[in-house]
Amino acid sequence: MAFHHPIMTKDDLAAFLDREFPQLHIGGQTYFIEEVGPLSARMRMTYHERHLRPGGTISGPSMMALADVALYAAILAHIGPVALAVTTSLSFNFLRKPEARDLIGECRLLKLGKRLAVGEVSIYSEGRADVVCHATGTYSIPS
Amino acid sequence: MAFHHPIMTKDDLAAFLDREFPQLHIGGQTYFIEEVGPLSARMRMTYHERHLRPGGTISGPSMMALADVALYAAILAHIGPVALAVTTSLSFNFLRKPEARDLIGECRLLKLGKRLAVGEVSIYSEGRADVVCHATGTYSIPS
Amino acid sequence: MAFHHPIMTKDDLAAFLDREFPQLHIGGQTYFIEEVGPLSARMRMTYHERHLRPGGTISGPSMMALADVALYAAILAHIGPVALAVTTSLSFNFLRKPEARDLIGECRLLKLGKRLAVGEVSIYSEGRADVVCHATGTYSIPS
Amino acid sequence: MAFHHPIMTKDDLAAFLDREFPQLHIGGQTYFIEEVGPLSARMRMTYHERHLRPGGTISGPSMMALADVALYAAILAHIGPVALAVTTSLSFNFLRKPEARDLIGECRLLKLGKRLAVGEVSIYSEGRADVVCHATGTYSIPS
């Protein structure tokens, strides 16, 4: 299937996100696309004050946003920047307290259909092996 | 069960959240506890620029944060401010585009056990009948 | 919206399920439609040996099947028997041990769109107030 | 962590499941443990009439049971047969129609804590690369 290989580079994607979702970067850019590959994408969220909860731990909503954008980037990389994909569901398991460092979101697409795309995202503290948060999500793809 | 009635008022809860989660209000307070009741709580998120995506729609992460805090408030209202409850899972269905107005999160607790609390949150645009986002979530309650 | 009222009666639905899903009744009928209403349906699963786990408790897969069929019945009741709706996701929270009696699944549809239908199901032991299992699910509706 | 390596072999596990969950095999054994490894387990569900829906496709509840038992086997393999672990949540994405052949459930544990264990299960038609159903689940582990 053509869909199984990305048709946008990470630079294409970054430019698209900057243009279409400038609010992602309000207060300084913290989300960065690191890599796109066949049915996959990797996203970094840099450690930043506005993602924190008291005690220095990273907030749930910041991790949820990272998973959502990683999934979105992985899907767009494969279907192109034209499509207006919309999140229809997201599920999260919060497994461990993230450390005070960057988070990496590794997205793997499980299905890229004509109407629905489904993927999972494993979030790690940079340089660590344990998953701190695991997400699955579905996007609806307009015809 | 004692657990089935709130032991904190909405003012107690608001004071607790202000003290423990000041970062909720960074940029101006937008989350307000409207009511607590038996196994329930209602939370408002006021319409604010920082919750928006281009086009004026409210962002997914803002709605996810609203659900999380509504659930947290409902649980604390019943177990008291001492316990350090931690979100272990959250699941969301995004059903409709929210309108350009305040969002209301209605939380209903489904279980308040010794170790786990589970609830659901229906999010509405104020004054509208349709659910824009539905969430379920689990908190772990320390012994 | 026309979609907000059922267009099939519970007898229509029962006849449809009997014809299209005879395997539901293998070993004796245990799933019964009790009621359909605006965006809702109620289903009963009678207490039967084949739904049990050792100790007399009702198995998870039996409850999951009850939720799935309650959601399916609620959707079909509103869109008619022609459509071939397919489950795309199901999420369950298992809250309490069910008692040794019939289970009732109360389904409420949260969205009935052209492509996706989303609903929640609360499962109770008959005559009890506590939810034993809560489910949310999504069906894809073919065009 | 000691927890990261299995302490039961697949034969230990099979004997335990046969003894404690004889109802899994009612109508003939169709669930088989194929392998256990560090934080993982693989389970087979053989193709059998009682798992089918009309048209020869495998039913959702059969796949849900496969995911549940794969997760259970993976957890027990690491914590031993004494513990009475209970499913607290399960989430499923149904991605493709399974083929008329055995299904394989690959379980990976994401967390093995003192109170909660979380894992994911990818279900494949034997010999195929595409995931037909993806599950995540949580078990509560008694102290």
Side-chain angles (χ1 to χ4, degrees), chain A residues 30-44:
Chain A
T30 57
Y31 295 99
F32 297 88
I33 300 167
E34 297 237 311
E35 199 176 307
V36 295
L39 296 178
S40 70
R42 187 169 70 240
M43 199 102 194
R44 172 186 299 265

Side-chain angles (χ1 to χ4, degrees), chain D residues 6-14 33 36 77:
Chain D
I7 58 175
M8 293 176 76
T9 65
K10 68 173 188 164
D11 291 338
D12 296 338
L13 269 173
I33 300 167
V36 294

Side-chain angles (χ1 to χ4, degrees), chain A residues 4 89 91 93-96 108 110-112 118 120 122 124 130-131 134 136 138, chain D residues 4 89 91 93-96 108 110-112 118 120 122 124 130-131 134 136 138:
Chain A
H4 285 190
S89 70
S91 292
N93 281 292
F94 302 96
L95 304 166
R96 295 169 183 87
R108 175 172 76 116
L110 298 164
K111 174 177 179 164
L112 250 178
V118 181
E120 62 168 336
S122 295
Y124 303 86
D130 285 336
V131 182
H134 182 267
T136 56
T138 302
Chain D
H4 286 191
S89 69
S91 292
N93 281 291
F94 301 97
L95 303 166
R96 294 171 183 86
R108 174 172 77 115
L110 297 165
K111 175 175 179 165
L112 251 179
V118 182
E120 63 168 336
S122 296
Y124 303 86
D130 284 335
V131 182
H134 182 268
T136 57
T138 301

